Amino acid sequence: MPEVDVAAAVEIEDGATKLVEVDGTPILLVNAGGALHAIHDICTHAEESLEGGFVENGTIECPRHGALFSLENGDALTPPATQALPTFPVEVRDGRVLVDPTQSVPHPLWD
């Protein structure tokens, strides 16, 4: 599937998140130090949105139980989460954020 234009890059400030949906999949765009990442929005520990989670040092913290996930590869870094989040290829082209909706791994609770 081709890349999907989901947002203007200027909409996502450093440390901020933006929730988008592509083909029914909730994808969280995250700006960490100027690098944009795209991860599945639903925590693999509990079906909780990661939108608004604390972003620091290349990680995002689930606002419900505090599990940390790597923004780079989706790995669950701390309990209570034990399974990785799917990640999605993302790039900025001409000021627009483009996401390839192909997941790195299936989401264990969602898909």
Side-chain angles (χ1 to χ4, degrees):
M1 174 175 267
E3 299 164 325
V4 178
D5 185 330
V6 294
V10 297
E11 293 178 45
I12 313 160
E13 297 179 9
D14 188 15
T17 62
K18 179 176 180 65
L19 182 60
V20 298
E21 189 172 300
V22 178
D23 295 333
T25 300
I27 297 175
L28 192 64
L29 304 175
V30 183
N31 184 333
L36 280 179
H37 302 273
I39 60 172
H40 201 292
D41 178 55
I42 305 300
C43 178
T44 58
H45 165 252
E47 291 190 35
E48 182 73 25
S49 173
L50 296 173
E51 184 178 22
F54 185 67
V55 177
E56 183 177 56
N57 297 326
T59 65
I60 188 164
E61 180 179 37
C62 177
R64 184 168 186 188
H65 293 121
L68 287 178
F69 294 92
S70 167
L71 293 171
E72 187 67 33
N73 57 25
D75 284 351
L77 302 174
T78 63
T82 59
Q83 295 178 296
L85 282 171
T87 58
F88 304 87
V90 62
E91 72 173 281
V92 176
R93 189 181 311 140
D94 298 325
R96 300 296 301 174
V97 179
L98 305 173
V99 173
D100 178 339
T102 306
Q103 298 182 41
S104 58
V105 296
H107 193 290
L109 299 176
W110 190 266
D111 297 320

